[in-house]
Amino acid sequence: VANGAWPAVNLSGGAPATHDDKRGFRAIGELYGFVKEHREFYDDECSAAGVAIVYSQPTLLFYGDGRARHYVEAIRGVEQSLQEAHIPFDIISNRKLLSVENLKKYRTLILP
């Protein structure tokens, strides 16, 4: 949060009430509560990442239903590698590539 990220819970398969394993909900609730109580320390913060993974919706759609999962798996593999190496990164839309100003902060762009 201090570097512009926002924690999230990805609930695949339905609303929170439909999930059997609710262990993570309490931790996320506590984190959101902490950030809300201390919001003044987090306002106007931005990402410290010097690396960006470019996500392209048009590329995903180009591959079609049968092969799109390979594109998503490639992105997830890059994410995992960067996380394991403790390298901060952003995921940006291909639309950010249209402006040099949007890219100035990055030393590296990864195109899966």
Side-chain angles (χ1 to χ4, degrees), residues 9 11 41 56 59 69 84 97 105:
V9 177
L11 300 175
F41 297 111
S56 170
T59 300
R69 68 178 169 82
E84 290 176 2
L97 300 176
K105 67 175 271 173

Side-chain angles (χ1 to χ4, degrees), residues 68-87:
R69 68 178 169 82
H70 296 297
Y71 179 71
V72 173
E73 288 172 0
I75 290 175
R76 289 185 179 154
V78 172
E79 286 178 31
Q80 184 173 355
S81 296
L82 292 170
Q83 287 172 347
E84 290 176 2
H86 304 284
I87 298 172

Side-chain angles (χ1 to χ4, degrees), residues 1-29:
V1 175
N3 288 313
W6 193 253
V9 177
N10 183 358
L11 300 175
S12 298
T18 65
H19 292 271
D20 293 329
D21 186 355
K22 297 176 176 35
R23 292 175 293 179
F25 296 162
R26 180 174 170 214
I28 290 294

Side-chain angles (χ1 to χ4, degrees), residues 22-42:
K22 297 176 176 35
R23 292 175 293 179
F25 296 162
R26 180 174 170 214
I28 290 294
E30 289 174 3
L31 178 60
Y32 277 30
F34 178 86
V35 171
K36 183 177 180 180
E37 286 177 36
H38 301 90
R39 190 69 208 156
E40 71 273 12
F41 297 111
Y42 299 108

